[in-house]
Amino acid sequence: MGYLRIAIDGPAGAGKSTVAKEVARRLGILYVDTGAMYRGVAWLSVEYRVQVADEEGLLQLLSAHKLTFARGQSGSFEVSADGVVITHLLRSVEVSERVSELSAHPRVREILTERQRQLSHCESVVMDGRDIGTVVMPDADYKFFLTADLAERARRRHAELEAKGFRGSLAQLRETIAARDRRDSNRSVAPLVKARDAIEIDSTGKTVAEVCDEILRVLGRD
Ligand code: DC
């Protein structure tokens, strides 16, 4: 039997990673957080002071340093740089501010897209991102497009950041998320767009469990 491949796309803060992680846990398969992969490159660019506009510099960083992606504890997806786990550093404001511009570079995308496809060829996956159903796994078994109101997405991200000890105003975060959505949706390569055959789920006002139940119902695994 082939591998089960589930794609979950959507804008920042729609709850993709929480939902994708939980769906993967319930199905007992690998969760792949592709946003964390782009964030891993952004982290390298902060660490080694490479401008995000400098695609050549980013490509050099990627060949000079080993980014690895693996299954972490309790279903998490772990990113390491040169053998050191950096997952917990990937949500910082510095990384978040850089990642969208960086992810618009076609050759950086090519490299990460290839790594994502490799992961999906080795085992069953739930993969979340912006272009999974359209570019990375256009032939996925199931595709979902998760959305939520901007206000709710900002509130969720704010709570998530506060829980991790980061500070910042809700209004400013809302602006940052809106700007990131615009950039992610308007870039020329692999923009954030709903695949024609994706099922849209609006998670506004729904709990994680409710959204997961909805997905598992579609999969016939409820
Ligand atoms: O889901 P996230 O917030 O961790 O994503 C971080 C950034 O990476 C986001 O601005 C868009 C980009 N991204 C992308 O372009 N393609 C993906 N498959 C995943 C993320």
Side-chain angles (χ1 to χ4, degrees):
M1 218 175 73
Y3 297 124
L4 178 63
R5 300 188 306 152
I6 302 169
I8 303 184
D9 289 303
K16 294 184 304 293
S17 57
T18 317
V19 164
K21 198 184 296 177
E22 176 61 13
V23 168
R25 192 191 64 78
R26 290 209 212 165
L27 294 172
I29 64 179
L30 178 69
Y31 162 56
V32 178
D33 177 354
T34 64
M37 297 169 76
Y38 286 93
R39 287 172 182 272
V41 184
W43 182 86
L44 280 179
S45 79
V46 174
E47 187 71 4
Y48 296 99
R49 297 173 201 278
V50 171
Q51 302 280 321
V52 273
D54 176 10
E55 184 170 25
E56 214 44 64
L58 294 171
L59 294 171
Q60 278 170 19
L61 261 187
L62 274 171
S63 46
H65 298 278
K66 195 171 161 58
L67 275 186
T68 42
F69 311 107
R71 188 195 297 271
Q73 285 169 344
S74 68
S76 59
F77 180 74
E78 219 152 73
V79 181
S80 303
D82 299 319
V84 178
V85 174
I86 56 166
T87 322
H88 56 293
L89 305 172
L90 301 180
R91 297 264 153 207
S92 72
V93 174
E94 247 178 331
V95 166
S96 300
E97 276 173 359
R98 295 173 148 240
V99 68
S100 186
E101 183 179 346
L102 172 151
S103 68
H105 291 307
R107 284 183 297 159
V108 171
R109 297 201 71 83
E110 231 170 75
I111 291 173
L112 293 186
T113 297
E114 188 46 40
R115 302 279 301 264
Q116 290 153 12
R117 288 188 181 137
Q118 280 167 8
L119 287 166
S120 77
H121 290 153
C122 296
E123 58 185 302
S124 294
V125 293
V126 178
M127 193 177 286
D128 81 338
R130 303 294 189 286
D131 59 340
I132 310 306
T134 50
V135 176
V136 179
M137 305 195 301
D139 53 349
D141 301 291
Y142 297 95
K143 299 180 186 178
F144 297 93
F145 194 81
L146 206 56
T147 61
D149 282 359
L150 177 62
E152 175 140 344
R153 293 193 282 126
R155 267 197 308 277
R156 287 179 188 165
R157 212 16 92 82
H158 193 248
E160 194 180 300
L161 286 171
E162 281 205 324
K164 289 181 181 163
F166 295 111
R167 266 173 236 294
S169 91
L170 181 60
Q172 195 185 355
L173 190 61
R174 189 182 156 129
E175 264 322 295
T176 311
I177 291 178
R180 192 136 68 88
D181 285 350
R182 277 195 297 277
R183 268 200 309 270
D184 292 344
S185 305
N186 293 319
R187 69 178 174 227
S188 54
V189 186
L192 167 65
V193 61
K194 177 178 165 299
R196 275 220 308 268
D197 50 350
I199 296 169
E200 184 161 343
I201 299 179
D202 184 344
S203 71
T204 311
K206 292 181 189 161
T207 64
V208 172
E210 283 169 340
V211 176
C212 290
D213 288 346
E214 221 169 306
I215 290 178
L216 290 172
R217 254 197 311 279
V218 172
L219 267 56
R221 305 283 184 103
D222 51 337

